[in-house]
Amino acid sequence: NAGVTQTPKFQVLKTGQSMTLQCAQDMNHNSMYWYRQDPGMGLRLIYYSASEGTTDKGEVPNGYNVSRLNKREFSLRLESAAPSQTSVYFCASTAVPAVPDTQYFGPGTRLTVL
Amino acid sequence: DQQVKQNSPSLSVQEGRISILNCDYTNSMFDYFLWYKKYPAEGPTFLISISSIKDKNEDGRFTVFLNKSAKHLSLHIVPSQPGDSAVYFCAASVGNNDMRFGAGTRLTVKP
């Protein structure tokens, strides 16, 4: 039981390049989330998927797209990376959306855009 | 506009003493408050939470206090242990799909 896994752990991109961050959970959770963490800002919600087949914007969705591939997997895509997207990205999942304390986080992807 | 604020970036305490981490919020619609703990190179892990209908919740060495009139919550750790050294994030939500986090407080517990 790996919990929430994220790939890659580290990535360096040049401005304008694209990439997809992968997230998978093996806990049979319904809801999945993508956050970014910046120094002095805490974690901010980018997109979430309340259930398979649905996605919604969070607090900071601009410049990102997401895909809920199946119940296990939720990917985050940067179509044209910008230096402002340099951040640490965390994926999370939860079984019971009505209970906030059950969100489980992955270890993060550290992305640098030059 | 940060709706959840942790004004102390760092806190250092001696082992065995009390650690008090503070958090302020501006949105009166928040109905659930949480504390997460984060070690380097790991994701945040849930520590303790409190509903807006309560003013205190305890779990072992950890107690969270909520003062709704002041829009303030605090986390007390008694006694503090070196393994508690981590970054602590305060979070607040209206339901589970719009959680807002503070910037975090780095706690160092010295042996």
Side-chain angles (χ1 to χ4, degrees), chain A residues 33 35 37 40-43 45 48 59 90 94 97 100-101 103 105-107, chain B residues 2 32 34 36 38 41-44 46 49 89 93 96-97 99-103:
Chain A
Y33 309 81
Y35 292 88
Q37 184 196 0
M41 296 293 291
L43 283 81
L45 183 65
Y48 66 95
E59 187 182 355
F90 290 101
T94 184
D101 56 5
Q103 280 198 27
F105 284 82
Chain B
Q2 275 197 291
Y32 213 84
L34 308 91
Y36 280 84
K38 185 182 179 305
E42 295 183 10
F46 168 74
S49 63
F89 290 100
S93 72
N96 197 33
N97 291 325
M99 195 178 300
R100 301 299 173 104
F101 286 79

PDB file of all heavy atoms in Angstrom, chain A residues 33 35 37 40-43 45 48 59 90 94 97 100-101 103 105-107, chain B residues 2 32 34 36 38 41-44 46 49 89 93 96-97 99-103:
ATOM      1  N   TYR A  33      -6.603  15.973  -5.584  1.00  0.00           N
ATOM      2  CA  TYR A  33      -6.298  17.404  -5.576  1.00  0.00           C
ATOM      3  C   TYR A  33      -4.874  17.644  -6.056  1.00  0.00           C
ATOM      4  O   TYR A  33      -3.988  16.812  -5.837  1.00  0.00           O
ATOM      5  CB  TYR A  33      -6.428  17.963  -4.150  1.00  0.00           C
ATOM      6  CG  TYR A  33      -7.724  17.618  -3.461  1.00  0.00           C
ATOM      7  CD1 TYR A  33      -7.904  16.373  -2.862  1.00  0.00           C
ATOM      8  CD2 TYR A  33      -8.780  18.525  -3.426  1.00  0.00           C
ATOM      9  CE1 TYR A  33      -9.097  16.047  -2.244  1.00  0.00           C
ATOM     10  CE2 TYR A  33      -9.969  18.208  -2.801  1.00  0.00           C
ATOM     11  CZ  TYR A  33     -10.124  16.964  -2.216  1.00  0.00           C
ATOM     12  OH  TYR A  33     -11.304  16.639  -1.600  1.00  0.00           O
ATOM     13  N   TYR A  35      -1.997  20.746  -5.479  1.00  0.00           N
ATOM     14  CA  TYR A  35      -1.623  21.975  -4.803  1.00  0.00           C
ATOM     15  C   TYR A  35      -0.234  22.392  -5.275  1.00  0.00           C
ATOM     16  O   TYR A  35       0.566  21.564  -5.698  1.00  0.00           O
ATOM     17  CB  TYR A  35      -1.526  21.773  -3.288  1.00  0.00           C
ATOM     18  CG  TYR A  35      -2.830  21.494  -2.570  1.00  0.00           C
ATOM     19  CD1 TYR A  35      -3.296  20.200  -2.430  1.00  0.00           C
ATOM     20  CD2 TYR A  35      -3.563  22.540  -2.010  1.00  0.00           C
ATOM     21  CE1 TYR A  35      -4.475  19.936  -1.731  1.00  0.00           C
ATOM     22  CE2 TYR A  35      -4.745  22.277  -1.314  1.00  0.00           C
ATOM     23  CZ  TYR A  35      -5.188  20.978  -1.187  1.00  0.00           C
ATOM     24  OH  TYR A  35      -6.354  20.723  -0.496  1.00  0.00           O
ATOM     25  N   GLN A  37       3.111  24.696  -3.620  1.00  0.00           N
ATOM     26  CA  GLN A  37       3.620  25.342  -2.413  1.00  0.00           C
ATOM     27  C   GLN A  37       4.764  26.261  -2.791  1.00  0.00           C
ATOM     28  O   GLN A  37       5.764  25.826  -3.373  1.00  0.00           O
ATOM     29  CB  GLN A  37       4.131  24.322  -1.392  1.00  0.00           C
ATOM     30  CG  GLN A  37       4.576  24.982  -0.098  1.00  0.00           C
ATOM     31  CD  GLN A  37       5.415  24.103   0.788  1.00  0.00           C
ATOM     32  OE1 GLN A  37       5.706  22.944   0.466  1.00  0.00           O
ATOM     33  NE2 GLN A  37       5.804  24.609   1.938  1.00  0.00           N
ATOM     34  N   GLY A  40       6.625  31.262   1.680  1.00  0.00           N
ATOM     35  CA  GLY A  40       5.828  32.341   2.248  1.00  0.00           C
ATOM     36  C   GLY A  40       4.364  32.331   1.854  1.00  0.00           C
ATOM     37  O   GLY A  40       3.628  33.267   2.194  1.00  0.00           O
ATOM     38  N   MET A  41       3.925  31.290   1.122  1.00  0.00           N
ATOM     39  CA  MET A  41       2.540  31.283   0.631  1.00  0.00           C
ATOM     40  C   MET A  41       1.725  30.100   1.119  1.00  0.00           C
ATOM     41  O   MET A  41       0.531  30.071   0.918  1.00  0.00           O
ATOM     42  CB  MET A  41       2.539  31.261  -0.898  1.00  0.00           C
ATOM     43  CG  MET A  41       3.130  32.478  -1.554  1.00  0.00           C
ATOM     44  SD  MET A  41       2.117  33.935  -1.272  1.00  0.00           S
ATOM     45  CE  MET A  41       0.683  33.544  -2.259  1.00  0.00           C
ATOM     46  N   GLY A  42       2.328  29.122   1.706  1.00  0.00           N
ATOM     47  CA  GLY A  42       1.567  27.934   2.076  1.00  0.00           C
ATOM     48  C   GLY A  42       1.192  27.136   0.825  1.00  0.00           C
ATOM     49  O   GLY A  42       1.739  27.332  -0.249  1.00  0.00           O
ATOM     50  N   LEU A  43       0.238  26.240   0.950  1.00  0.00           N
ATOM     51  CA  LEU A  43      -0.229  25.437  -0.178  1.00  0.00           C
ATOM     52  C   LEU A  43      -1.464  26.086  -0.792  1.00  0.00           C
ATOM     53  O   LEU A  43      -2.358  26.535  -0.063  1.00  0.00           O
ATOM     54  CB  LEU A  43      -0.597  24.016   0.277  1.00  0.00           C
ATOM     55  CG  LEU A  43       0.559  23.055   0.542  1.00  0.00           C
ATOM     56  CD1 LEU A  43       1.157  23.291   1.910  1.00  0.00           C
ATOM     57  CD2 LEU A  43       0.084  21.610   0.415  1.00  0.00           C
ATOM     58  N   LEU A  45      -4.553  25.537  -3.771  1.00  0.00           N
ATOM     59  CA  LEU A  45      -5.223  24.535  -4.589  1.00  0.00           C
ATOM     60  C   LEU A  45      -5.257  24.975  -6.038  1.00  0.00           C
ATOM     61  O   LEU A  45      -5.720  26.070  -6.363  1.00  0.00           O
ATOM     62  CB  LEU A  45      -6.642  24.305  -4.066  1.00  0.00           C
ATOM     63  CG  LEU A  45      -7.470  23.242  -4.768  1.00  0.00           C
ATOM     64  CD1 LEU A  45      -6.852  21.861  -4.580  1.00  0.00           C
ATOM     65  CD2 LEU A  45      -8.903  23.253  -4.234  1.00  0.00           C
ATOM     66  N   TYR A  48      -9.033  20.332  -8.592  1.00  0.00           N
ATOM     67  CA  TYR A  48      -9.416  19.141  -7.875  1.00  0.00           C
ATOM     68  C   TYR A  48     -10.407  18.340  -8.715  1.00  0.00           C
ATOM     69  O   TYR A  48     -11.011  18.851  -9.664  1.00  0.00           O
ATOM     70  CB  TYR A  48      -9.998  19.461  -6.494  1.00  0.00           C
ATOM     71  CG  TYR A  48     -11.316  20.204  -6.510  1.00  0.00           C
ATOM     72  CD1 TYR A  48     -12.525  19.524  -6.418  1.00  0.00           C
ATOM     73  CD2 TYR A  48     -11.342  21.596  -6.574  1.00  0.00           C
ATOM     74  CE1 TYR A  48     -13.734  20.201  -6.418  1.00  0.00           C
ATOM     75  CE2 TYR A  48     -12.537  22.278  -6.577  1.00  0.00           C
ATOM     76  CZ  TYR A  48     -13.730  21.594  -6.490  1.00  0.00           C
ATOM     77  OH  TYR A  48     -14.920  22.272  -6.493  1.00  0.00           O
ATOM     78  N   GLU A  59      -7.974  27.582  -6.468  1.00  0.00           N
ATOM     79  CA  GLU A  59      -7.623  28.985  -6.235  1.00  0.00           C
ATOM     80  C   GLU A  59      -6.711  29.560  -7.327  1.00  0.00           C
ATOM     81  O   GLU A  59      -6.823  30.733  -7.679  1.00  0.00           O
ATOM     82  CB  GLU A  59      -6.932  29.085  -4.875  1.00  0.00           C
ATOM     83  CG  GLU A  59      -6.634  30.478  -4.372  1.00  0.00           C
ATOM     84  CD  GLU A  59      -5.897  30.469  -3.043  1.00  0.00           C
ATOM     85  OE1 GLU A  59      -5.689  29.390  -2.451  1.00  0.00           O
ATOM     86  OE2 GLU A  59      -5.506  31.568  -2.590  1.00  0.00           O
ATOM     87  N   PHE A  90       2.147  19.303  -4.922  1.00  0.00           N
ATOM     88  CA  PHE A  90       1.671  18.178  -4.124  1.00  0.00           C
ATOM     89  C   PHE A  90       0.328  17.704  -4.648  1.00  0.00           C
ATOM     90  O   PHE A  90      -0.573  18.497  -4.922  1.00  0.00           O
ATOM     91  CB  PHE A  90       1.512  18.576  -2.658  1.00  0.00           C
ATOM     92  CG  PHE A  90       2.803  18.813  -1.948  1.00  0.00           C
ATOM     93  CD1 PHE A  90       3.263  20.102  -1.741  1.00  0.00           C
ATOM     94  CD2 PHE A  90       3.563  17.755  -1.477  1.00  0.00           C
ATOM     95  CE1 PHE A  90       4.461  20.337  -1.085  1.00  0.00           C
ATOM     96  CE2 PHE A  90       4.755  17.973  -0.819  1.00  0.00           C
ATOM     97  CZ  PHE A  90       5.207  19.270  -0.633  1.00  0.00           C
ATOM     98  N   THR A  94      -8.630  11.988  -1.025  1.00  0.00           N
ATOM     99  CA  THR A  94      -9.450  11.756   0.150  1.00  0.00           C
ATOM    100  C   THR A  94     -10.621  10.862  -0.218  1.00  0.00           C
ATOM    101  O   THR A  94     -11.136  10.910  -1.338  1.00  0.00           O
ATOM    102  CB  THR A  94      -9.958  13.079   0.757  1.00  0.00           C
ATOM    103  OG1 THR A  94     -10.678  12.808   1.951  1.00  0.00           O
ATOM    104  CG2 THR A  94     -10.859  13.820  -0.200  1.00  0.00           C
ATOM    105  N   PRO A  97     -15.078  13.385   1.022  1.00  0.00           N
ATOM    106  CA  PRO A  97     -14.909  14.832   0.826  1.00  0.00           C
ATOM    107  C   PRO A  97     -15.515  15.677   1.931  1.00  0.00           C
ATOM    108  O   PRO A  97     -15.072  16.776   2.175  1.00  0.00           O
ATOM    109  CB  PRO A  97     -15.632  15.078  -0.504  1.00  0.00           C
ATOM    110  CG  PRO A  97     -15.570  13.788  -1.217  1.00  0.00           C
ATOM    111  CD  PRO A  97     -15.661  12.730  -0.158  1.00  0.00           C
ATOM    112  N   PRO A 100     -12.647  17.038   5.957  1.00  0.00           N
ATOM    113  CA  PRO A 100     -11.369  17.570   5.450  1.00  0.00           C
ATOM    114  C   PRO A 100     -10.145  16.877   6.001  1.00  0.00           C
ATOM    115  O   PRO A 100      -9.121  16.830   5.340  1.00  0.00           O
ATOM    116  CB  PRO A 100     -11.416  19.028   5.887  1.00  0.00           C
ATOM    117  CG  PRO A 100     -12.851  19.349   5.995  1.00  0.00           C
ATOM    118  CD  PRO A 100     -13.496  18.107   6.491  1.00  0.00           C
ATOM    119  N   ASP A 101     -10.192  16.321   7.191  1.00  0.00           N
ATOM    120  CA  ASP A 101      -8.947  15.811   7.752  1.00  0.00           C
ATOM    121  C   ASP A 101      -8.490  14.504   7.137  1.00  0.00           C
ATOM    122  O   ASP A 101      -7.471  13.978   7.513  1.00  0.00           O
ATOM    123  CB  ASP A 101      -9.047  15.659   9.278  1.00  0.00           C
ATOM    124  CG  ASP A 101     -10.209  14.776   9.683  1.00  0.00           C
ATOM    125  OD1 ASP A 101     -10.865  14.213   8.805  1.00  0.00           O
ATOM    126  OD2 ASP A 101     -10.458  14.658  10.884  1.00  0.00           O
ATOM    127  N   GLN A 103      -7.503  14.072   4.015  1.00  0.00           N
ATOM    128  CA  GLN A 103      -6.674  14.247   2.821  1.00  0.00           C
ATOM    129  C   GLN A 103      -5.287  13.672   3.074  1.00  0.00           C
ATOM    130  O   GLN A 103      -4.649  13.972   4.073  1.00  0.00           O
ATOM    131  CB  GLN A 103      -6.541  15.728   2.435  1.00  0.00           C
ATOM    132  CG  GLN A 103      -7.742  16.256   1.676  1.00  0.00           C
ATOM    133  CD  GLN A 103      -7.443  17.554   0.938  1.00  0.00           C
ATOM    134  OE1 GLN A 103      -6.325  17.829   0.562  1.00  0.00           O
ATOM    135  NE2 GLN A 103      -8.479  18.347   0.719  1.00  0.00           N
ATOM    136  N   PHE A 105      -1.455  13.271   1.414  1.00  0.00           N
ATOM    137  CA  PHE A 105      -0.607  13.945   0.450  1.00  0.00           C
ATOM    138  C   PHE A 105       0.507  13.035  -0.061  1.00  0.00           C
ATOM    139  O   PHE A 105       1.024  12.193   0.682  1.00  0.00           O
ATOM    140  CB  PHE A 105       0.029  15.189   1.083  1.00  0.00           C
ATOM    141  CG  PHE A 105      -0.916  16.343   1.227  1.00  0.00           C
ATOM    142  CD1 PHE A 105      -1.799  16.419   2.295  1.00  0.00           C
ATOM    143  CD2 PHE A 105      -0.928  17.364   0.282  1.00  0.00           C
ATOM    144  CE1 PHE A 105      -2.676  17.492   2.429  1.00  0.00           C
ATOM    145  CE2 PHE A 105      -1.798  18.441   0.409  1.00  0.00           C
ATOM    146  CZ  PHE A 105      -2.669  18.498   1.479  1.00  0.00           C
ATOM    147  N   GLY A 106       0.886  13.246  -1.319  1.00  0.00           N
ATOM    148  CA  GLY A 106       2.070  12.610  -1.864  1.00  0.00           C
ATOM    149  C   GLY A 106       3.323  13.353  -1.430  1.00  0.00           C
ATOM    150  O   GLY A 106       3.237  14.385  -0.772  1.00  0.00           O
ATOM    151  N   PRO A 107       4.502  12.852  -1.826  1.00  0.00           N
ATOM    152  CA  PRO A 107       5.764  13.448  -1.370  1.00  0.00           C
ATOM    153  C   PRO A 107       6.161  14.715  -2.104  1.00  0.00           C
ATOM    154  O   PRO A 107       7.091  15.402  -1.675  1.00  0.00           O
ATOM    155  CB  PRO A 107       6.783  12.329  -1.632  1.00  0.00           C
ATOM    156  CG  PRO A 107       6.199  11.566  -2.769  1.00  0.00           C
ATOM    157  CD  PRO A 107       4.716  11.612  -2.582  1.00  0.00           C
TER     158      PRO A 107
ATOM    159  N   GLN B   2      -4.396  36.535   1.420  1.00  0.00           N
ATOM    160  CA  GLN B   2      -4.281  35.333   2.236  1.00  0.00           C
ATOM    161  C   GLN B   2      -5.357  35.335   3.309  1.00  0.00           C
ATOM    162  O   GLN B   2      -5.396  36.235   4.157  1.00  0.00           O
ATOM    163  CB  GLN B   2      -2.898  35.263   2.883  1.00  0.00           C
ATOM    164  CG  GLN B   2      -1.855  34.641   1.968  1.00  0.00           C
ATOM    165  CD  GLN B   2      -0.623  34.208   2.737  1.00  0.00           C
ATOM    166  OE1 GLN B   2       0.112  35.045   3.225  1.00  0.00           O
ATOM    167  NE2 GLN B   2      -0.422  32.907   2.854  1.00  0.00           N
ATOM    168  N   TYR B  32     -14.221  24.539   9.304  1.00  0.00           N
ATOM    169  CA  TYR B  32     -13.376  23.427   9.745  1.00  0.00           C
ATOM    170  C   TYR B  32     -11.936  23.881   9.678  1.00  0.00           C
ATOM    171  O   TYR B  32     -11.536  24.518   8.699  1.00  0.00           O
ATOM    172  CB  TYR B  32     -13.595  22.212   8.832  1.00  0.00           C
ATOM    173  CG  TYR B  32     -13.464  20.886   9.533  1.00  0.00           C
ATOM    174  CD1 TYR B  32     -14.534  20.345  10.227  1.00  0.00           C
ATOM    175  CD2 TYR B  32     -12.274  20.177   9.506  1.00  0.00           C
ATOM    176  CE1 TYR B  32     -14.433  19.139  10.881  1.00  0.00           C
ATOM    177  CE2 TYR B  32     -12.160  18.958  10.160  1.00  0.00           C
ATOM    178  CZ  TYR B  32     -13.243  18.449  10.830  1.00  0.00           C
ATOM    179  OH  TYR B  32     -13.132  17.241  11.480  1.00  0.00           O
ATOM    180  N   LEU B  34      -7.731  22.864  10.486  1.00  0.00           N
ATOM    181  CA  LEU B  34      -6.841  21.721  10.601  1.00  0.00           C
ATOM    182  C   LEU B  34      -5.405  22.186  10.806  1.00  0.00           C
ATOM    183  O   LEU B  34      -5.030  23.290  10.398  1.00  0.00           O
ATOM    184  CB  LEU B  34      -6.882  20.873   9.313  1.00  0.00           C
ATOM    185  CG  LEU B  34      -8.239  20.424   8.804  1.00  0.00           C
ATOM    186  CD1 LEU B  34      -8.819  21.435   7.812  1.00  0.00           C
ATOM    187  CD2 LEU B  34      -8.112  19.062   8.128  1.00  0.00           C
ATOM    188  N   TYR B  36      -1.556  20.638   9.873  1.00  0.00           N
ATOM    189  CA  TYR B  36      -0.766  19.628   9.190  1.00  0.00           C
ATOM    190  C   TYR B  36       0.685  19.804   9.604  1.00  0.00           C
ATOM    191  O   TYR B  36       1.150  20.918   9.862  1.00  0.00           O
ATOM    192  CB  TYR B  36      -0.868  19.767   7.663  1.00  0.00           C
ATOM    193  CG  TYR B  36      -2.113  19.196   7.056  1.00  0.00           C
ATOM    194  CD1 TYR B  36      -3.286  19.939   7.022  1.00  0.00           C
ATOM    195  CD2 TYR B  36      -2.122  17.925   6.507  1.00  0.00           C
ATOM    196  CE1 TYR B  36      -4.441  19.413   6.454  1.00  0.00           C
ATOM    197  CE2 TYR B  36      -3.263  17.396   5.928  1.00  0.00           C
ATOM    198  CZ  TYR B  36      -4.416  18.153   5.911  1.00  0.00           C
ATOM    199  OH  TYR B  36      -5.549  17.631   5.344  1.00  0.00           O
ATOM    200  N   LYS B  38       4.729  18.881   8.447  1.00  0.00           N
ATOM    201  CA  LYS B  38       5.487  18.529   7.250  1.00  0.00           C
ATOM    202  C   LYS B  38       6.973  18.418   7.577  1.00  0.00           C
ATOM    203  O   LYS B  38       7.594  19.363   8.065  1.00  0.00           O
ATOM    204  CB  LYS B  38       5.269  19.563   6.147  1.00  0.00           C
ATOM    205  CG  LYS B  38       5.943  19.172   4.839  1.00  0.00           C
ATOM    206  CD  LYS B  38       5.757  20.236   3.795  1.00  0.00           C
ATOM    207  CE  LYS B  38       6.464  19.848   2.506  1.00  0.00           C
ATOM    208  NZ  LYS B  38       7.889  19.542   2.668  1.00  0.00           N
ATOM    209  N   ALA B  41      11.165  17.070   2.380  1.00  0.00           N
ATOM    210  CA  ALA B  41      11.075  16.087   1.296  1.00  0.00           C
ATOM    211  C   ALA B  41       9.900  15.123   1.455  1.00  0.00           C
ATOM    212  O   ALA B  41       9.885  14.057   0.834  1.00  0.00           O
ATOM    213  CB  ALA B  41      12.372  15.305   1.148  1.00  0.00           C
ATOM    214  N   GLU B  42       8.934  15.491   2.283  1.00  0.00           N
ATOM    215  CA  GLU B  42       7.722  14.685   2.419  1.00  0.00           C
ATOM    216  C   GLU B  42       6.504  15.572   2.234  1.00  0.00           C
ATOM    217  O   GLU B  42       6.579  16.795   2.334  1.00  0.00           O
ATOM    218  CB  GLU B  42       7.656  14.027   3.801  1.00  0.00           C
ATOM    219  CG  GLU B  42       8.746  13.012   4.062  1.00  0.00           C
ATOM    220  CD  GLU B  42       8.578  12.353   5.423  1.00  0.00           C
ATOM    221  OE1 GLU B  42       7.524  12.540   6.061  1.00  0.00           O
ATOM    222  OE2 GLU B  42       9.513  11.650   5.847  1.00  0.00           O
ATOM    223  N   GLY B  43       5.351  14.939   1.957  1.00  0.00           N
ATOM    224  CA  GLY B  43       4.121  15.702   1.901  1.00  0.00           C
ATOM    225  C   GLY B  43       3.596  15.985   3.294  1.00  0.00           C
ATOM    226  O   GLY B  43       3.992  15.342   4.265  1.00  0.00           O
ATOM    227  N   PRO B  44       2.694  16.967   3.411  1.00  0.00           N
ATOM    228  CA  PRO B  44       2.088  17.251   4.708  1.00  0.00           C
ATOM    229  C   PRO B  44       1.296  16.048   5.214  1.00  0.00           C
ATOM    230  O   PRO B  44       0.716  15.296   4.428  1.00  0.00           O
ATOM    231  CB  PRO B  44       1.146  18.427   4.417  1.00  0.00           C
ATOM    232  CG  PRO B  44       1.653  19.021   3.140  1.00  0.00           C
ATOM    233  CD  PRO B  44       2.217  17.882   2.358  1.00  0.00           C
ATOM    234  N   PHE B  46      -1.709  14.985   8.176  1.00  0.00           N
ATOM    235  CA  PHE B  46      -2.727  15.529   9.065  1.00  0.00           C
ATOM    236  C   PHE B  46      -2.338  15.302  10.522  1.00  0.00           C
ATOM    237  O   PHE B  46      -1.851  14.228  10.899  1.00  0.00           O
ATOM    238  CB  PHE B  46      -4.069  14.856   8.770  1.00  0.00           C
ATOM    239  CG  PHE B  46      -5.113  15.137   9.805  1.00  0.00           C
ATOM    240  CD1 PHE B  46      -5.711  16.383   9.868  1.00  0.00           C
ATOM    241  CD2 PHE B  46      -5.465  14.169  10.720  1.00  0.00           C
ATOM    242  CE1 PHE B  46      -6.662  16.642  10.830  1.00  0.00           C
ATOM    243  CE2 PHE B  46      -6.411  14.416  11.681  1.00  0.00           C
ATOM    244  CZ  PHE B  46      -7.013  15.660  11.738  1.00  0.00           C
ATOM    245  N   SER B  49      -7.621  18.391  14.051  1.00  0.00           N
ATOM    246  CA  SER B  49      -8.593  19.313  13.466  1.00  0.00           C
ATOM    247  C   SER B  49      -9.619  19.741  14.503  1.00  0.00           C
ATOM    248  O   SER B  49      -9.696  19.175  15.606  1.00  0.00           O
ATOM    249  CB  SER B  49      -9.305  18.652  12.289  1.00  0.00           C
ATOM    250  OG  SER B  49     -10.045  17.513  12.731  1.00  0.00           O
ATOM    251  N   PHE B  89       1.548  23.635   9.298  1.00  0.00           N
ATOM    252  CA  PHE B  89       0.640  24.450   8.506  1.00  0.00           C
ATOM    253  C   PHE B  89      -0.740  24.457   9.145  1.00  0.00           C
ATOM    254  O   PHE B  89      -1.284  23.411   9.495  1.00  0.00           O
ATOM    255  CB  PHE B  89       0.502  23.889   7.082  1.00  0.00           C
ATOM    256  CG  PHE B  89       1.726  24.043   6.234  1.00  0.00           C
ATOM    257  CD1 PHE B  89       2.599  22.985   6.049  1.00  0.00           C
ATOM    258  CD2 PHE B  89       2.006  25.243   5.602  1.00  0.00           C
ATOM    259  CE1 PHE B  89       3.729  23.113   5.261  1.00  0.00           C
ATOM    260  CE2 PHE B  89       3.128  25.385   4.812  1.00  0.00           C
ATOM    261  CZ  PHE B  89       3.997  24.322   4.636  1.00  0.00           C
ATOM    262  N   SER B  93     -11.230  25.450   5.982  1.00  0.00           N
ATOM    263  CA  SER B  93     -12.022  25.106   4.799  1.00  0.00           C
ATOM    264  C   SER B  93     -13.501  25.376   4.994  1.00  0.00           C
ATOM    265  O   SER B  93     -14.002  25.437   6.122  1.00  0.00           O
ATOM    266  CB  SER B  93     -11.830  23.634   4.437  1.00  0.00           C
ATOM    267  OG  SER B  93     -12.479  22.816   5.388  1.00  0.00           O
ATOM    268  N   ASN B  96     -14.751  20.402   1.874  1.00  0.00           N
ATOM    269  CA  ASN B  96     -13.412  19.822   1.712  1.00  0.00           C
ATOM    270  C   ASN B  96     -12.724  20.246   0.427  1.00  0.00           C
ATOM    271  O   ASN B  96     -11.561  19.957   0.235  1.00  0.00           O
ATOM    272  CB  ASN B  96     -13.500  18.297   1.731  1.00  0.00           C
ATOM    273  CG  ASN B  96     -12.144  17.669   1.989  1.00  0.00           C
ATOM    274  OD1 ASN B  96     -11.323  18.225   2.711  1.00  0.00           O
ATOM    275  ND2 ASN B  96     -11.896  16.539   1.372  1.00  0.00           N
ATOM    276  N   ASN B  97     -13.395  20.921  -0.472  1.00  0.00           N
ATOM    277  CA  ASN B  97     -12.791  21.188  -1.764  1.00  0.00           C
ATOM    278  C   ASN B  97     -12.233  22.586  -1.891  1.00  0.00           C
ATOM    279  O   ASN B  97     -11.861  23.002  -2.971  1.00  0.00           O
ATOM    280  CB  ASN B  97     -13.802  20.917  -2.877  1.00  0.00           C
ATOM    281  CG  ASN B  97     -14.090  19.425  -2.999  1.00  0.00           C
ATOM    282  OD1 ASN B  97     -13.217  18.602  -2.799  1.00  0.00           O
ATOM    283  ND2 ASN B  97     -15.321  19.097  -3.305  1.00  0.00           N
ATOM    284  N   MET B  99      -9.742  24.223   0.586  1.00  0.00           N
ATOM    285  CA  MET B  99      -8.948  24.357   1.790  1.00  0.00           C
ATOM    286  C   MET B  99      -7.890  25.425   1.579  1.00  0.00           C
ATOM    287  O   MET B  99      -7.176  25.416   0.586  1.00  0.00           O
ATOM    288  CB  MET B  99      -8.293  23.023   2.152  1.00  0.00           C
ATOM    289  CG  MET B  99      -7.762  22.977   3.563  1.00  0.00           C
ATOM    290  SD  MET B  99      -7.027  21.381   4.003  1.00  0.00           S
ATOM    291  CE  MET B  99      -8.399  20.287   3.778  1.00  0.00           C
ATOM    292  N   ARG B 100      -7.792  26.359   2.523  1.00  0.00           N
ATOM    293  CA  ARG B 100      -6.803  27.439   2.444  1.00  0.00           C
ATOM    294  C   ARG B 100      -5.769  27.220   3.543  1.00  0.00           C
ATOM    295  O   ARG B 100      -6.120  26.978   4.690  1.00  0.00           O
ATOM    296  CB  ARG B 100      -7.483  28.795   2.620  1.00  0.00           C
ATOM    297  CG  ARG B 100      -8.564  29.074   1.580  1.00  0.00           C
ATOM    298  CD  ARG B 100      -8.034  29.104   0.176  1.00  0.00           C
ATOM    299  NE  ARG B 100      -9.085  29.215  -0.822  1.00  0.00           N
ATOM    300  CZ  ARG B 100      -9.359  30.342  -1.474  1.00  0.00           C
ATOM    301  NH1 ARG B 100      -8.672  31.451  -1.209  1.00  0.00           N
ATOM    302  NH2 ARG B 100     -10.325  30.357  -2.374  1.00  0.00           N
ATOM    303  N   PHE B 101      -4.511  27.349   3.141  1.00  0.00           N
ATOM    304  CA  PHE B 101      -3.406  27.082   4.057  1.00  0.00           C
ATOM    305  C   PHE B 101      -2.684  28.369   4.445  1.00  0.00           C
ATOM    306  O   PHE B 101      -2.581  29.305   3.639  1.00  0.00           O
ATOM    307  CB  PHE B 101      -2.390  26.152   3.395  1.00  0.00           C
ATOM    308  CG  PHE B 101      -2.824  24.722   3.294  1.00  0.00           C
ATOM    309  CD1 PHE B 101      -3.713  24.311   2.311  1.00  0.00           C
ATOM    310  CD2 PHE B 101      -2.333  23.778   4.177  1.00  0.00           C
ATOM    311  CE1 PHE B 101      -4.113  22.992   2.204  1.00  0.00           C
ATOM    312  CE2 PHE B 101      -2.722  22.455   4.084  1.00  0.00           C
ATOM    313  CZ  PHE B 101      -3.610  22.067   3.100  1.00  0.00           C
ATOM    314  N   GLY B 102      -2.141  28.375   5.649  1.00  0.00           N
ATOM    315  CA  GLY B 102      -1.213  29.416   6.042  1.00  0.00           C
ATOM    316  C   GLY B 102       0.161  29.121   5.476  1.00  0.00           C
ATOM    317  O   GLY B 102       0.395  28.066   4.872  1.00  0.00           O
ATOM    318  N   ALA B 103       1.087  30.052   5.676  1.00  0.00           N
ATOM    319  CA  ALA B 103       2.428  29.924   5.096  1.00  0.00           C
ATOM    320  C   ALA B 103       3.326  28.976   5.881  1.00  0.00           C
ATOM    321  O   ALA B 103       4.396  28.617   5.400  1.00  0.00           O
ATOM    322  CB  ALA B 103       3.078  31.303   5.002  1.00  0.00           C
TER     323      ALA B 103
END
